[in-house]
Amino acid sequence: MDAELVEGDAFSSKRVELSHASEFTHFLDGAQRSHVALYFGLHAARLVHTSAALLRRTEKRVDAPTDGCWLEGLQLFAPQGCPTAGWPCRYADVDNDSNPQQVADEIRRLIEQDREGKEVELGSNFQDDGWLLVDGGIGTGPNTAGSS
């Protein structure tokens, strides 16, 4: 789904007056932390924490998280066949014969997909009448999920 145009029909720059006030009322961002947990042959499996939060902003300060505005998860991201000892795991869809860089790239893609999914889920449920500032790429926001 494309964003609704709110002004004009083409991209252009406009001079605006300097303002010390901000109109945005909410802030959406995600984070990911990843550490090598083990090696399966030549391939690294990573223990990963991903999270996202949609926080209210009051008088130039971001408020503490409240129920329903925070998603997080801790899981292992590993090559196919890697023993996980009961850990929740997402497996990279690559052959074990793949070179380590291909496996690492696929695991990195899965980690980013997991974090972005949390951001999109929170942003898609934004029901407030205020303005939402999304920290991240333009192509991965709540209104562009599934588009290319």
Side-chain angles (χ1 to χ4, degrees):
M1 172 189 298
D2 289 333
E4 177 185 345
L5 290 176
V6 294
E7 184 178 286
D9 58 1
F11 182 78
S12 63
S13 64
K14 296 183 181 193
R15 187 173 300 279
V16 294
E17 297 296 320
L18 180 62
S19 171
H20 296 287
S22 173
E23 298 292 327
F24 82 87
T25 59
H26 293 78
F27 181 73
L28 173 65
D29 195 11
Q32 63 192 48
R33 294 292 305 243
S34 169
H35 302 281
V36 173
L38 61 99
Y39 283 91
F40 182 60
L42 297 175
H43 308 299
R46 303 189 74 82
L47 183 60
V48 179
H49 180 263
T50 56
S51 61
L54 194 158
L55 305 174
R56 176 175 287 282
R57 183 175 182 266
T58 307
E59 297 181 19
K60 297 185 180 182
R61 293 187 181 263
V62 176
D63 297 343
T66 58
D67 289 341
C69 72
W70 174 267
L71 295 173
E72 67 176 334
L74 181 66
Q75 62 184 320
L76 197 61
F77 287 76
Q80 288 289 347
C82 180
T84 63
W87 273 91
C89 186
R90 286 192 63 188
Y91 291 100
D93 189 20
V94 291
D95 295 330
N96 287 333
D97 295 335
S98 300
N99 73 50
Q101 188 61 53
Q102 289 172 310
V103 174
D105 289 346
E106 178 62 13
I107 288 174
R108 188 176 307 106
R109 188 189 68 75
L110 290 173
I111 294 167
E112 290 171 358
Q113 183 182 60
D114 187 71
R115 186 207 68 244
E116 288 173 357
K118 288 174 175 59
E119 293 171 358
V120 168
E121 182 178 340
L122 287 174
S124 296
N125 294 326
F126 181 68
Q127 299 286 324
D128 200 282
D129 289 334
W131 289 79
L132 174 62
L133 176 67
V134 179
D135 185 6
I138 292 174
T140 59
N143 292 329
T144 61
S147 68
S148 49

